[in-house]
Amino acid sequence: CSWYQRASYFSHGDLEGILDGLDSLKPRVPLQTIQIDDGYQRSYGDWLEPSPYWPNGLRPALEEIASRGYRPGVWVAPFMVGNRSHLFAAHPEWMLRDLDGRLIAEWQHYDGTRFNEEVYILDTSHPDAFAYLRGVFRKLRAYGTRMYKTDFMDWGLKDSLLVRRARPGRTSVEYFVDVL
């Protein structure tokens, strides 16, 4: 898991160095999976858009992991959408809201240390948001991902009585199960 190496600043170059180092070890370390964590994506929610640390995107990195004999893994937080993401800019109506219609900012970081000051919750009751998320996972699979570290999953379980969904009528647990 790359998180413990350089957090969200882990790069494709860092990955290559680790893979080369693993290849040099004799006997070979019996690892099954190499997982790329946060930082490969442009912003939370923009899972398929590369960050500056991954200019060629995930696909070449996942292919390289597989070519070295490991199962490629990726960190993803399906319900997270950053306020600076292309996803949020294009589709603010896909975000979960409180009963007064205000966006729910699950994370707030105003100290300049994050890529996003606020991180919202994807409302998967919205059919287009759900389809987007499904498309992300299908594309990651097509890239070669064979293990997903899904994180912040509890964001999809907000109390149904305290949120306004695009399509009401079901509980948060029911929408959550759809995502699973």
Side-chain angles (χ1 to χ4, degrees):
C1 172
S2 64
W3 180 257
Y4 303 100
Q5 177 71 16
R6 295 181 28 94
S8 58
Y9 301 101
F10 190 78
S11 71
H12 192 161
D14 293 329
L15 172 66
E16 289 173 336
I18 287 174
L19 291 172
D20 289 344
L22 287 170
D23 284 349
S24 72
L25 297 175
K26 303 296 181 230
R28 183 179 168 105
V29 177
L31 296 176
Q32 293 178 351
T33 303
I34 303 290
Q35 180 228 308
I36 299 169
D37 213 289
D38 184 15
Y40 66 86
Q41 77 286 354
R42 184 190 166 283
S43 182
Y44 301 131
D46 294 338
W47 305 112
L48 303 176
E49 297 180 39
S51 77
Y53 300 105
W54 299 85
N56 298 318
L58 270 180
R59 182 175 223 146
L62 297 170
E63 289 171 350
E64 186 169 359
I65 290 169
S67 75
R68 307 273 188 122
Y70 304 103
R71 183 172 52 165
V74 171
W75 172 87
V76 63
F79 298 102
M80 294 179 83
V81 179
N83 68 309
R84 293 188 186 194
S85 68
H86 289 148
L87 178 63
F88 176 70
H91 300 288
E93 74 278 9
W94 291 2
M95 303 307 119
L96 195 62
R97 298 178 181 270
D98 67 18
L99 294 176
D100 294 323
R102 293 183 302 255
L103 289 167
I104 299 171
E106 191 68 9
W107 270 4
Q108 298 175 355
H109 300 281
Y110 303 115
D111 59 3
T113 62
R114 303 283 177 168
F115 299 117
N116 300 280
E117 290 86 18
E118 294 182 349
V119 184
Y120 306 121
I121 302 168
L122 187 67
D123 178 3
T124 58
S125 79
H126 193 293
D128 294 332
F130 184 81
Y132 170 78
L133 194 56
R134 177 179 276 166
V136 165
F137 277 92
R138 285 182 174 164
K139 184 69 81 170
L140 290 173
R141 178 73 175 172
Y143 288 174
T145 303
R146 295 299 176 261
M147 189 279 297
Y148 300 93
K149 175 187 171 188
T150 55
D151 210 352
F152 299 94
M153 296 298 285
D154 59 318
W155 288 27
L157 292 170
K158 293 296 174 195
D159 186 335
S160 303
L161 299 174
L162 301 177
V163 297
R164 180 183 294 173
R165 294 217 172 250
R167 284 183 32 196
R170 298 174 70 203
T171 68
S172 292
V173 171
E174 289 172 306
Y175 290 116
F176 183 82
V177 168
D178 290 345
V179 170
L180 295 179

